[in-house]
Amino acid sequence: MAKLADPVQVKAIPSARKRALHRTNVIGWLFASPWAIGLLCFYAIPMLMSIYFSFTTYSILQPGEFVGINNYRDLFHDPLFWKSIYNTIYFTVFFVPLSIFFGVALAMMLNMKVKGMAVFRTIFFLPTLVPQVALAVLWMWLLHPNFGLVNGMLANIGIDGPAWLGGESWSKPSLILMSLWGIGQAVVIYLAGLGDIPEEYYEAAQIDGANWFQKTRKVTLPLLTPVIFYNLVMGMIGAFQQFTLPYTLTKGQGTPANSMTFYVMYLYENGFRYFKMGYASAMAWILFIIVMALTGIIFITSKRWVHYQGK
């Protein structure tokens, strides 16, 4: 009969080492406790409470009653809710692709080896340092239909400028134009991505006789897709949370004809102006589901169009 192997002998940890390990764990938890408490108090608990509030008529001043899915049902019969969704999707569909296109184009121009390029990079980044409220006031003056600078320049070449923020059809394109003015932060990220592309790829393409367009299409853009992917996700989330600019421009009214009433604006109005916290919580969870679904779709499709170096 074969002899059984000797059982593995587990060495006992000395008591002094146990105390040192326990002390290290306690110190680690003490350092992490501010973050853990903040996450619990300011994120986890409010999120769980908002789920419950979305099924009640809670209004800050009154505890409210449990009404089931009535808030969600009322939202689907609220015309202003659908109008705010339309405005937000309109802004997202046009702003995000345009911001990627102009961001990549600007980054490629600012990546050229030209004397004094640091000055040009600073100039394009400066608008991102302007506060959103100041940005709104500046563009209200520039796009004023009667004495604005833009319409004045158009009049000099014989073109009657539109009403911009005063017209229902031009209000959202005006907002997209304003938002594109502040894409300097995305340009900096694209510049970092361009700097990460090895020169050897361009040298190999040059030897093969590729021109500028072919190098851009076959080398630059494919290797820049991880950065484009990041800016696409962040841009989409930011676009769905558009608030400060339209709220400042319209003083919270969403004029003209609610063409500037965005989803988060309407949510804010319900929660903090009309104190309909239950209704606003339901809106917040619908927005969360929409953003998570779109983010998931982008992540799933990214396997087909995002290319990482070395893979």
Side-chain angles (χ1 to χ4, degrees):
M1 183 175 178
K3 186 179 179 181
L4 292 174
D6 294 335
V8 178
Q9 294 183 354
V10 179
K11 293 183 179 178
I13 301 175
S15 58
R17 190 178 172 189
K18 278 185 178 177
R19 285 197 297 272
L21 189 61
H22 177 71
R23 187 166 56 248
T24 303
N25 287 338
V26 170
I27 293 172
W29 277 109
L30 282 176
F31 275 106
S33 59
W35 177 85
I37 293 171
L39 179 71
L40 193 66
C41 294
F42 300 112
Y43 284 91
I45 294 176
M47 278 188 71
L48 295 174
M49 291 298 292
S50 71
I51 295 175
Y52 171 71
F53 289 149
S54 69
F55 297 107
T56 69
T57 57
Y58 174 63
S59 65
I60 298 179
L61 303 175
Q62 295 178 351
E65 298 175 354
F66 186 81
V67 292
I69 61 170
N70 281 359
N71 286 327
Y72 294 92
R73 188 184 293 125
D74 293 343
L75 276 171
F76 286 100
H77 294 89
D78 183 351
L80 196 51
F81 168 75
W82 291 109
K83 182 72 175 178
S84 67
I85 285 185
Y86 168 76
N87 291 338
T88 306
I89 291 176
Y90 180 103
F91 177 81
T92 305
V93 165
F94 286 97
F95 169 71
V96 175
L98 285 173
S99 67
I100 291 173
F101 175 79
F102 286 111
V104 172
L106 280 172
M108 290 178 68
M109 284 194 294
L110 294 173
N111 198 43
M112 297 168 65
K113 294 178 175 58
V114 179
K115 190 176 181 181
M117 186 54 75
V119 177
F120 293 112
R121 290 181 178 182
T122 305
I123 291 172
F124 279 101
F125 186 73
L126 278 178
T128 62
L129 303 178
V130 179
Q132 292 277 293
V133 176
L135 183 70
V137 174
L138 172 66
W139 278 96
M140 283 170 69
W141 175 76
L142 288 173
L143 298 179
H144 195 282
N146 296 326
F147 54 82
L149 182 63
V150 175
N151 275 6
M153 294 172 66
L154 291 174
N156 287 335
I157 56 175
I159 299 176
D160 291 331
W164 298 111
L165 295 167
E168 186 178 354
S169 57
W170 278 94
S171 57
K172 284 188 284 293
S174 303
L175 186 68
I176 293 169
L177 179 65
M178 294 178 202
S179 301
L180 287 174
W181 193 62
I183 60 171
Q185 195 167 2
V187 172
V188 171
I189 298 173
Y190 287 126
L191 274 171
L194 288 172
D196 194 41
I197 300 175
E199 284 294 327
E200 288 80 5
Y201 292 125
Y202 292 109
E203 291 172 0
Q206 185 73 32
I207 292 171
D208 289 341
N211 56 29
W212 176 86
F213 178 76
Q214 290 169 326
K215 283 190 278 188
T216 301
R217 183 167 172 266
K218 298 292 185 180
V219 178
T220 305
L221 290 180
L223 294 180
L224 202 59
T225 48
V227 182
I228 294 173
F229 168 65
Y230 169 78
N231 279 328
L232 173 63
V233 173
M234 300 307 294
M236 184 271 296
I237 294 173
F240 268 92
Q241 294 176 342
Q242 182 65 250
F243 175 78
T244 309
L245 265 181
Y247 194 86
T248 308
L249 288 167
T250 64
K251 299 177 182 175
Q253 302 299 313
T255 53
N258 289 317
S259 62
M260 294 281 274
T261 300
F262 285 81
Y263 193 91
V264 177
M265 274 179 64
Y266 190 46
L267 188 157
Y268 175 84
E269 290 287 311
N270 278 303
F272 296 98
R273 186 175 180 182
Y274 306 123
F275 298 112
K276 296 163 63 177
M277 277 294 171
Y279 202 72
S281 297
M283 287 190 69
W285 276 100
I286 290 174
L287 177 64
F288 178 77
I289 291 169
I290 292 173
V291 170
M292 287 299 293
L294 292 176
T295 305
I297 291 171
I298 294 172
F299 266 87
I300 291 170
T301 58
S302 68
K303 296 176 183 175
R304 296 185 178 182
W305 60 272
V306 177
H307 308 283
Y308 295 97
Q309 293 186 44
K311 290 187 178 180

